[in-house]
Amino acid sequence: DFGGQRQGALAQYRPSAAGLELVAILGSGGSHPCHLAADDRRLAVANYSGASVGLFALADGRLATQTGIARFVEWYRQYYKVA
């Protein structure tokens, strides 16, 4: 759980003289984040159990804000035959 919700989290770190410094932490938009894909402006994270993809804006190489969530709940329920 992250932020009082059933979701995973994304954390971004940068090197510093003391080791690693936390830059940003945001909820992934679903449960069990498992894969990331990024370009210069965006980051997408696949959430395994949440059957969703969280979309995030990057600003100057930093994790900025969540811009959207695509959910695949109906497909997930039909495929795995769950209620």
Side-chain angles (χ1 to χ4, degrees):
D1 290 355
F2 176 79
Q5 297 180 3
R6 295 192 65 156
Q7 66 176 330
L10 299 172
Q12 181 181 12
Y13 294 87
R14 70 173 165 219
S16 72
L20 292 177
E21 177 184 349
L22 181 63
V23 175
I25 187 165
L26 295 171
S28 68
S31 299
H32 305 109
C34 60
H35 183 77
L36 303 171
D39 62 18
D40 292 336
R41 300 177 302 140
R42 299 171 293 251
L43 172 76
V45 57
N47 296 294
Y48 183 81
S49 296
S52 64
V53 175
L55 304 172
F56 299 84
L58 299 175
D60 297 322
R62 292 185 175 185
L63 190 57
T65 59
Q66 186 178 60
T67 58
I69 299 173
R71 299 193 189 278
F72 305 97
V73 175
E74 290 307 315
W75 173 88
Y76 179 86
R77 287 179 178 160
Q78 289 176 6
Y79 185 82
Y80 289 104
K81 303 199 184 333
V82 295

